[in-house]
Amino acid sequence: MHRQTPVSSFNGKAEPVIVVQKYGGSSVATTEKIRNVAKRIAEKANGARIVVVVSAMGDTTDDLLNMAQELCPMPDGRELDKLLATGEQISSALMTIALQAEGISAVSLTGGQAGIITEKVPGKARILKIDPRRIREELNNEKVVVVAGFQGVTDHANWADITTLGRGGSDTTAVALAAALKADRCEIYTDVDGVYTTDPRIEPLAAKLDTICYEEMLEMAGQGARVMHSRAVELGELYDVSILVANSANDTPGTVITKEDPTMEVRNPVRGIAHDTDVARLTVVSVPDRPGIAYQVFQRLAEKNINVDVILQNVSKSGVADVSFTVAMPDLEKTKCALYPVIKEIGAEDLVTDQNVAKVSIIGSGIRSHPGYAARMFGALSADGINILGISTSEIRITCLIEKGAVRNAVRALHKTFELEKP
Ligand code: ASP
Ligand code: MG
């Protein structure tokens, strides 16, 4: 990295450009892939100051988790954090060794060494603050700094214990570091070319988006699009960090997640179609129809940190009604356990679950100001003979609950109806 240093003018002062690049688990799954990424970083460095954030190699995190669960079905949170954090420590050290082999001066840091201080909440700790002094020092010494993603430490009052940020948390590490370092660019490299109008495995005519705003990306992620960790997008919005999502294996331009561009009035109000088959519907049957019942049911779920969607209550006949809602499939057992006592308390008849459902959503910040999109969506589904089991909306999203088997047809019909195909 002895080429000319590109500079950005910051407060009139010329400063070297700082770039944060994150590489996902599939991009660093083998030593060969790590070597390719290291070569790429070396080739494209162009004098910028580079902070690399890595995920664990391939399925390492799952493998470590399985080992712990072989020994104990509910492993202790503190030990699990310490175990899982090793995945990223391995990949960060190997990446640094690979960079050094390319003749690049580099150093690896754990999350704690990088100054990432978190809450003391095992498995899903939030970042409290970042002290970027060590990273800055290493950058000043012209080193590429490779940070182990997905982890931090508690503060000294809590013994500086190792914590993790939740599955997929390396994205959050990258965006948080970009914010703390006031980086010029934040780039997330993965195994897809960017964010698509819908899942290209379902609709080959899905188009890659050049840009998408934070709000839309959050809705897409919340409704099943598995591109980025939602917390990373929230952080990007909060600290005004534009995030490039691109492929680590090619030079396709990727998608920039950024602020909404108010000059883009003319674009398609719908940005994408999301689908989520990982949901279950629960119905509390024959609930007495009186004030406070919904509160009792949903308060119990809130206490257990369970997110609900597509809530419906049918018209009460003879003083009783059915209340149904959806939860994410991994929360199903927890939801049933939480609700059985409530069922008794409120005098409902039964709790019925249905796993044969899925959600399809249209998402776009333009929906807010364009009436008629709900009608068009329902029309497209009915033209394909797809029955709507329930509906939920936000200002920029309309979601229909349908039968699981109809998902592919629904996605394709909606993609066509809202003219999202590649030009
Ligand atoms: N390795 C962690 C996981 O698989 C974090 C990440 O990949 O971002 O969840
Ligand atoms: Mg991973």
Side-chain angles (χ1 to χ4, degrees):
M1 293 185 65
H2 299 292
R3 270 157 289 184
Q4 209 194 341
T5 304
V7 291
S8 67
S9 176
F10 181 69
N11 291 340
K13 246 188 0 207
E15 298 215 347
V17 166
I18 297 181
V19 182
V20 176
Q21 297 187 335
K22 180 250 170 178
Y23 291 90
S26 54
S27 307
V28 297
T30 61
T31 47
E32 197 191 331
K33 288 189 170 181
I34 290 178
R35 183 184 290 127
N36 290 341
V37 170
K39 284 199 158 87
R40 206 183 140 96
I41 293 169
E43 270 163 28
K44 293 181 193 275
N46 203 18
R49 301 189 158 185
I50 297 177
V51 176
V52 175
V53 175
V54 284
S55 287
M57 297 169 74
D59 296 327
T60 304
T61 310
D62 288 323
D63 295 344
L64 291 170
L65 196 57
N66 288 339
M67 278 199 271
Q69 280 167 345
E70 262 170 40
L71 298 169
C72 171
M74 291 270 278
D76 176 63
R78 179 186 181 275
E79 301 312 319
L80 207 52
D81 271 355
K82 188 152 174 281
L83 176 71
L84 297 190
T86 61
E88 274 71 8
Q89 291 169 21
I90 293 170
S91 55
S92 60
L94 288 174
M95 180 62 75
T96 305
I97 290 167
L99 283 164
Q100 290 166 347
E102 296 299 319
I104 302 282
S105 171
V107 60
S108 70
L109 299 175
T110 63
Q113 289 172 321
I116 299 171
I117 309 297
T118 75
E119 310 170 316
K120 187 189 165 187
V121 180
K124 49 172 186 236
R126 286 179 171 269
I127 297 174
L128 295 173
K129 61 171 191 263
I130 295 182
D131 175 354
R133 280 177 301 176
R134 175 77 188 268
I135 297 186
R136 285 196 186 283
E137 176 72 16
E138 302 290 359
L139 290 174
N140 286 341
N141 292 331
E142 302 205 357
K143 288 192 175 158
V144 171
V145 183
V146 185
V147 179
F150 171 59
Q151 59 189 275
V153 290
T154 60
D155 60 14
H156 283 287
N158 287 298
W159 303 106
D161 272 341
I162 294 173
T163 51
T164 63
L165 310 180
R167 296 307 305 269
S170 298
D171 290 343
T172 300
T173 303
V175 178
L177 286 178
L181 294 163
K182 300 192 172 52
D184 299 82
R185 298 203 304 271
C186 180
E187 305 170 342
I188 306 285
Y189 288 103
T190 170
D191 54 0
V192 294
D193 287 351
V195 182
Y196 281 79
T197 49
T198 198
D199 187 342
R201 286 168 302 186
I202 291 187
E203 174 52 87
L205 292 174
K208 187 179 61 68
L209 297 164
D210 296 332
T211 64
I212 184 167
C213 72
Y214 299 113
E215 226 187 333
E216 290 168 330
M217 189 67 233
L218 283 170
E219 291 279 14
M220 294 276 267
Q223 293 301 326
R226 299 183 209 291
V227 191
M228 252 191 94
H229 203 212
S230 293
R231 266 170 65 191
V233 182
E234 279 167 14
L235 266 185
E237 182 169 27
L238 197 58
Y239 291 98
D240 204 4
V241 176
S242 295
I243 305 162
L244 169 76
V245 180
N247 198 323
S248 65
N250 64 38
D251 286 325
T252 312
T255 303
V256 179
I257 307 169
T258 188
K259 274 201 285 256
E260 188 167 5
D261 179 355
T263 62
M264 294 199 358
E265 278 259 273
V266 287
R267 70 159 173 82
N268 190 337
V270 178
R271 294 296 267 170
I273 312 295
H275 72 282
D276 191 354
T277 49
D278 221 11
V279 294
R281 175 169 62 166
L282 292 103
T283 306
V284 188
V285 182
S286 299
V287 189
D289 191 14
R290 59 176 151 81
I293 293 291
Y295 170 71
Q296 262 177 285
V297 171
F298 292 103
Q299 174 60 22
R300 192 62 55 95
L301 301 177
E303 280 163 14
K304 301 278 178 205
N305 246 317
I306 298 166
N307 260 322
V308 299
D309 191 15
V310 200
I311 303 171
L312 290 173
Q313 177 175 338
N314 69 0
V315 182
S316 92
K317 298 175 225 91
S318 55
V320 292
D322 296 346
V323 176
S324 77
F325 56 90
T326 61
V327 297
M329 193 71 95
D331 284 341
L332 179 57
E333 285 311 310
K334 201 163 101 179
T335 308
K336 289 204 279 194
C337 291
L339 282 188
Y340 281 131
V342 186
I343 301 297
K344 285 220 177 79
E345 281 163 33
I346 62 178
E349 214 163 76
D350 202 358
L351 179 65
V352 180
T353 63
D354 181 359
Q355 304 191 21
N356 190 30
V357 292
K359 296 194 282 182
V360 280
S361 309
I362 66 169
I363 290 153
S365 55
I367 291 176
R368 182 163 29 212
S369 49
H370 289 75
Y373 275 74
R376 269 176 76 187
M377 179 177 189
F378 305 155
L381 294 176
S382 76
D384 252 30
I386 297 167
N387 191 23
I388 300 171
L389 307 171
I391 299 157
S392 83
T393 63
S394 81
E395 270 202 302
I396 67 162
R397 168 182 59 86
I398 304 166
T399 297
C400 290
L401 190 71
I402 60 175
E403 249 176 48
K404 203 169 254 174
V407 164
R408 295 182 83 84
N409 283 345
V411 167
R412 300 189 67 165
L414 294 172
H415 200 263
K416 193 169 168 75
T417 297
F418 293 105
E419 298 168 356
L420 294 165
E421 291 109 336
K422 276 191 250 222

